[in-house]
Amino acid sequence: MNPFLDESPRFRVAGYLKKITAVLLIVWLFKGYLGLERYNAYIVYAIVALIFAFELLSVGKWLGVTVSGILFALAKAFLWTSVFLYFGGWLGMPENLHSLAGRAFAYSVVLAIAGFLVGRTESRRFEWRVEKKAYEFSGVDFGNVKLAGKGKAYPIKTGGKRVGWVIDGDVEVEAETPLGTIRRRLSSPVAVWGELKVGKKVKADEDFLQIAEELINPDRLYGKVKKGESVVDLGIIKVYEGENFEYVKLPFIEVIETPYGEEVKIGPIHVREGNPKKPKGMLTIRELRNGFQLTKVGDRLKIETGDFSIEVEGNRVVYRSGNETLSLGEAVSLRSGDISVTVGRGRAKIRIEDVVISARDGVVRIRAGGKTHTIESDEAYRLVIRKAKEIVEEQSAGLIEGLGVDRALLNKRVKELLDELMEFVG
């Protein structure tokens, strides 16, 4: 038995019908060349019938079979049909069928509203269950993220679809970042919202299954999914909000917002503006007891704990702990309350309490003790740039280790720098 092909036969049949529909659509597009013009209407009827067949067979794939699920499946089928009939009018579809596009769209809207209203009255909630199956787990490599260790992996399903795994064992996560390798030993159970390569089937632990079922509860993990959450991953519900980037994926809905553009997909409707880079899926590793969470979205990586968070995009890193922030990229920035040190792109600025030192284009400006000084000296300029880099490197090490900013040491370094700069003042 292949543990990766454990969807129910109904869903596999739905998948096959979808592929057959695609092939039949291609046949219809080339009906003239294939000498099938006289079967034009029959092929259209067959495509529409297959659309309804695979949508209805897919009911319950995500949330179990419900009345609202059936209504939404019918709404989707009518929506796909309306799109097919509408655009088919320019591709040789009989006019009497093309004219039904508007009616099919109206049905889809009415059924979608009905599904929403019925869904509000249904008591059924999102239900994730841990299957009573266990497989050998001996680690997995996700590129710059690795999950090492040994244990047992149990599939997590909703409806008939596997959306993740929960691991019982001694595991450690490793993540490569520009700050170095971050390692964290995770306490069991550990949820992985993504695919794993697992070994042979082994005996399941009934006690662990009961604990995992309680801890995997969506309400316990996140409560209600709301915009305030920066990262939410529950297999079929994915929300990621980061630096200049937002990614939301729900069943039939996907939204991507980046500085380069936006993309929205709602069923077959696809709206794109600009050139946003679509991530290749979303992976999340979460400690169910202690709240540690690592999320990988394309080339982005975010690690969240109760004490700090780290977000990585290429060579850019943002580290946050309380009111302290360290940013590494083209420029380096360290902030903590009324303290800030920024250096990069040929400039530097140090602010601590009532002292401000800035350096740019060979000019140094100082404001301290109610007085302002301007120094036009390449030597003084290079001194500020060098000292600012040293301060950031010195403070960053303690910040990442969880010690926070050392104000006493920072005050000492700024005083030393001021004393050296005063030698340039006449």
Side-chain angles (χ1 to χ4, degrees), residues 184-191 220-221 285-294:
R184 170 93 173 214
R185 188 167 294 280
L186 305 179
S187 63
S188 177
V190 176
R220 181 192 171 279
L221 288 179
I285 299 170
R286 183 176 177 114
E287 211 174 20
L288 294 181
R289 293 185 189 274
N290 300 326
F292 170 89
Q293 179 167 285
L294 178 150

Side-chain angles (χ1 to χ4, degrees), residues 166-332:
V166 61
I167 299 171
D168 179 22
D170 184 18
V171 296
E172 181 181 66
V173 64
E174 297 181 4
E176 298 292 337
T177 76
L179 297 175
T181 301
I182 296 174
R183 293 182 176 86
R184 170 93 173 214
R185 188 167 294 280
L186 305 179
S187 63
S188 177
V190 176
V192 178
W193 301 107
E195 275 300 351
L196 290 183
K197 186 175 181 180
V198 297
K200 65 181 181 181
K201 194 173 180 180
V202 294
K203 184 179 179 181
D205 184 333
E206 293 291 336
D207 292 335
F208 173 80
L209 280 167
Q210 184 176 351
I211 293 170
E213 283 277 9
E214 295 173 359
L215 295 177
I216 207 73
N217 183 295
D219 286 339
R220 181 192 171 279
L221 288 179
Y222 297 105
K224 293 182 179 180
V225 177
K226 56 184 182 298
K227 189 173 177 60
E229 299 284 0
S230 61
V231 177
V232 173
D233 197 344
L234 288 170
I236 62 170
I237 298 176
K238 298 178 182 289
V239 179
Y240 184 101
E241 293 183 6
E243 297 291 315
N244 299 318
F245 180 86
E246 185 171 331
Y247 177 66
V248 178
K249 187 170 179 18
L250 306 172
F252 323 127
I253 298 174
E254 187 173 23
V255 180
I256 305 161
E257 293 185 16
T258 75
Y260 309 104
E262 301 178 4
E263 184 172 345
V264 179
K265 289 178 67 178
I266 304 175
I269 301 172
H270 187 180
V271 180
R272 185 184 181 99
E273 183 177 330
N275 188 31
K277 185 178 179 181
K278 184 176 179 178
K280 295 180 180 178
M282 180 165 159
L283 163 76
T284 296
I285 299 170
R286 183 176 177 114
E287 211 174 20
L288 294 181
R289 293 185 189 274
N290 300 326
F292 170 89
Q293 179 167 285
L294 178 150
T295 299
K296 178 179 168 67
V297 184
D299 61 352
R300 289 176 175 267
L301 179 68
K302 190 161 190 175
I303 299 172
E304 295 178 296
T305 74
D307 301 319
F308 65 86
S309 72
I310 298 175
E311 184 171 9
V312 180
E313 181 195 6
N315 292 322
R316 176 173 167 75
V317 182
V318 180
Y319 174 97
R320 291 187 176 89
S321 178
N323 69 338
E324 299 177 336
T325 302
L326 170 65
S327 300
L328 304 176
E330 293 183 7
V332 180

Side-chain angles (χ1 to χ4, degrees), residues 29-250:
L29 288 172
F30 292 93
K31 56 188 177 295
Y33 298 101
L34 297 173
L36 299 174
E37 282 286 359
R38 56 180 172 171
Y39 301 109
N40 189 355
Y42 296 107
I43 298 174
V44 171
Y45 292 140
I47 291 173
V48 172
L50 285 169
I51 289 173
F52 277 86
F54 70 66
E55 288 295 354
L56 286 171
L57 283 172
S58 298
V59 172
K61 186 172 184 178
W62 301 106
L63 308 175
V65 177
T66 61
V67 174
S68 62
I70 294 172
L71 291 172
F72 279 124
L74 288 170
K76 278 188 66 185
F78 273 110
L79 182 59
W80 280 113
T81 300
S82 68
V83 172
F84 173 50
L85 296 180
Y86 180 76
F87 288 104
W90 287 281
L91 300 171
M93 180 179 291
E95 181 59 31
N96 63 322
L97 295 177
H98 169 66
S99 63
L100 296 175
R103 184 178 298 179
F105 181 76
Y107 279 132
S108 73
V109 173
V110 171
L111 286 165
I113 294 172
F116 174 74
L117 294 175
V118 171
R120 292 183 64 181
T121 63
E122 288 178 336
S123 60
R124 189 180 185 92
R125 303 168 65 87
F126 289 129
E127 290 183 0
W128 279 255
R129 61 185 176 85
V130 182
E131 276 210 317
K132 295 181 179 180
K133 297 178 183 177
Y135 301 90
E136 285 183 343
F137 173 77
S138 57
V140 63
D141 188 338
F142 297 108
N144 60 337
V145 174
K146 296 178 178 63
L147 194 58
K150 293 185 177 181
K152 298 179 181 179
Y154 298 76
I156 303 172
K157 284 193 170 184
T158 180
K161 176 73 174 178
R162 187 180 63 249
V163 293
W165 300 81
V166 61
I167 299 171
D168 179 22
D170 184 18
V171 296
E172 181 181 66
V173 64
E174 297 181 4
E176 298 292 337
T177 76
L179 297 175
T181 301
I182 296 174
R183 293 182 176 86
R184 170 93 173 214
R185 188 167 294 280
L186 305 179
S187 63
S188 177
V190 176
V192 178
W193 301 107
E195 275 300 351
L196 290 183
K197 186 175 181 180
V198 297
K200 65 181 181 181
K201 194 173 180 180
V202 294
K203 184 179 179 181
D205 184 333
E206 293 291 336
D207 292 335
F208 173 80
L209 280 167
Q210 184 176 351
I211 293 170
E213 283 277 9
E214 295 173 359
L215 295 177
I216 207 73
N217 183 295
D219 286 339
R220 181 192 171 279
L221 288 179
Y222 297 105
K224 293 182 179 180
V225 177
K226 56 184 182 298
K227 189 173 177 60
E229 299 284 0
S230 61
V231 177
V232 173
D233 197 344
L234 288 170
I236 62 170
I237 298 176
K238 298 178 182 289
V239 179
Y240 184 101
E241 293 183 6
E243 297 291 315
N244 299 318
F245 180 86
E246 185 171 331
Y247 177 66
V248 178
K249 187 170 179 18
L250 306 172

